Amino acid sequence: TGLAQQPWKPEKNVEIIVPAAPGAAFDTTGRTIQRLLQEQKMLPGSSSVINQAGGGGTIAMSYLNQHASDEHYLFVMTASVLTNHILGVSKDTYTDFSPLAMLFSEYLAYGVRADSPIKSARDLAEALRKDPTRYSIAVATSRGGALHIATGLALKAAGVDVKKLRIVVFNANAESLTSMLG
């Protein structure tokens, strides 16, 4: 026979840990979770979003680990919990955390400045096949994360030497967009 699980009844502020900078997609996710918890009166008290950007999520995971077994800390987990371990960036792996829900599946989009000579994915692939270092490719929030892997797979399939790509990692997708526009 199994034991019945006690309902979640936080007794103090609940921190929603976001592994990215303010303005990032994961920040929006964390703030949406916070808003819904409050609107639906799922918390008897307060909540706050805590941005722990950097290290491709390792800083956020480290922060969460400082509060092990404390139900007042929720983490917006990303695929980097898998890739950081595979890359040797983190000792933590998916088995060290308890997933509560899968909220969405991420779609990826690529963009360039409006005045760029690149007008299509085909243009980009052709340019990078000729010279993989010609353009910098911005990803957030980690090398080996979902954006980096998706970019590498697409460009490798297009015949680009992905080992020579110039990858720039930002703490948030908003930062990479700002950099691209600048």
Side-chain angles (χ1 to χ4, degrees), residues 8 14-20 26 29-30 33 37 48-65 70-82 84 90 92-94 96-103 141:
W8 182 47
V14 172
E15 290 190 13
I16 301 166
I17 305 164
V18 173
F26 293 119
T29 300
I33 291 168
L37 288 172
S48 54
V49 173
I50 307 298
N51 295 87
Q52 294 287 326
T58 57
I59 291 172
M61 285 185 272
S62 175
Y63 182 76
L64 178 63
N65 285 334
D70 188 333
E71 64 186 13
H72 298 92
Y73 295 85
L74 302 175
F75 176 42
V76 177
M77 189 179 296
T78 68
S80 63
V81 75
L82 300 170
N84 284 348
S90 173
D92 295 317
T93 187
Y94 71 96
D96 295 317
F97 304 97
S98 297
L100 301 177
M102 182 170 172
L103 301 177
T141 60

Side-chain angles (χ1 to χ4, degrees), residues 2 22 27 35 39 53-54 64 86 92 94-95 99 103 114 123 125 132 136 142 164-165 170 175 178:
D27 180 58
R35 182 179 50 79
E39 285 177 0
L64 178 63
I86 292 167
D92 295 317
Y94 71 96
T95 58
L103 301 177
D123 291 347
S136 295
S142 65
K164 294 181 180 176
L165 292 173
F170 289 88
E175 291 176 10
T178 301

Side-chain angles (χ1 to χ4, degrees), residues 40-57:
Q40 300 298 316
K41 299 185 182 354
M42 298 171 80
L43 297 176
S46 63
S47 64
S48 54
V49 173
I50 307 298
N51 295 87
Q52 294 287 326

